[in-house]
Amino acid sequence: MRSESRTFELPMKSNDGKQWKVVVEIKVENMRRLIYLHSTVQFVNHLDIPFEIHSMRDGRLDFCGIAETDSEPLDIALPLLYTATGELFIKPQDDAYEMSNESVCWNKFEDKARYIVRCDLSEDMKQGLFVALIVEEIPLKAERSRDLDDISYIVHIFSPLTLHNFLPIALRLTSPIQKELFGGEEVSLNVIPGQNLNFEVDYRGDLYVTEMLFPVEHQDLMVITLTSGEKFLVSIILLAVGGSFQNI
């Protein structure tokens, strides 16, 4: 038997008739067959803050588990997954932040793969932590199928924007925060699409500046130009990868 993953139907349906399924992963290691059972929805945390995952069931929030900072997948228990709405909420594990204002509905992951939710700061509701949830579809074979005709999901937890500087010179971010990034450094930004980012570069005694809009719908490649009076600095290509921009 070779290594593979399949979905298997369970003898149970949700109230709206949705068939319960589980992912069965078979691995062959050192002449042994290892069988792992997974949920069809997992969360993977890429931030340095643990996040609680909660499910809306019967009008109340039920605790699903904690997506730790070690990037290990958190499986959502099936009774908390196959609910009437399929809504899931997140919350930083500490008490500094509230439950996310917005939910994500895993039943609609096929239609939308990127979400941004906000968790209000407990001491000041005017401030908050923005979190990007990126949905990865995993094509799978169904129980008796030879084709990849079923899907499971991994929800990746990122900051809304991570800026990587791969330039050989320092890049100074002046808004929304002040931060100097040397070559190879990066910073996670608590911003949402529609906000502006401001940069400065000190090059051969001249200060070059630019303002860039964090677009709602970004292209894979974007070009910005820094200016100093009538002088133009070589344009910077921004390569968008998931929730990040990389200067190259």
Side-chain angles (χ1 to χ4, degrees), residues 26-191:
I26 300 175
K27 292 184 177 181
V28 179
E29 296 180 1
N30 299 323
M31 303 301 293
R32 296 185 305 154
R33 295 174 184 170
L34 304 178
I35 299 178
Y36 300 89
L37 302 181
H38 299 295
S39 172
T40 51
V41 175
Q42 298 175 308
F43 279 76
V44 174
N45 184 10
H46 300 273
L47 299 179
D48 56 3
I49 306 172
F51 278 87
E52 299 176 3
I53 312 299
H54 294 256
S55 168
M56 177 64 73
R57 183 171 62 164
D58 298 329
R60 70 175 188 273
L61 288 174
D62 286 339
F63 178 68
C64 299
I66 297 176
E68 300 286 358
T69 58
D70 55 8
S71 296
E72 286 295 319
L74 168 68
D75 286 272
I76 304 301
L78 299 187
L80 300 177
L81 193 63
Y82 290 98
T83 60
T85 62
E87 288 183 282
L88 298 169
F89 293 78
I90 71 169
K91 176 187 178 300
Q93 189 181 14
D94 58 34
D95 295 329
Y97 293 95
E98 300 295 318
M99 192 72 65
S100 60
N101 296 327
E102 304 84 4
S103 65
V104 295
C105 180
W106 75 271
N107 294 327
K108 300 179 181 179
F109 282 170
E110 290 187 27
D111 303 321
K112 186 176 180 180
R114 179 181 172 86
Y115 302 81
I116 292 183
V117 301
R118 171 183 167 128
C119 301
D120 290 335
L121 187 65
S122 298
E123 295 183 351
D124 184 0
M125 295 297 184
K126 294 181 180 180
Q127 301 184 50
L129 176 68
F130 293 101
V131 181
L133 303 177
I134 311 299
V135 179
E136 178 187 4
E137 292 188 357
I138 308 298
L140 297 170
K141 295 179 181 179
E143 184 173 350
R144 295 181 176 85
S145 176
R146 295 183 178 181
D147 302 319
L148 297 173
D149 48 13
D150 211 344
I151 297 174
S152 69
Y153 302 100
I154 299 177
V155 183
H156 297 274
I157 302 175
F158 290 103
S159 65
L161 182 66
T162 301
L163 180 66
H164 305 255
N165 182 20
F166 292 145
L167 295 172
I169 56 178
L171 178 71
R172 189 178 304 113
L173 181 66
T174 59
S175 176
I177 64 171
Q178 294 189 1
K179 177 73 174 180
E180 188 168 25
L181 296 176
F182 295 95
E185 293 184 338
E186 65 180 56
V187 62
S188 295
L189 300 175
N190 188 34
V191 297

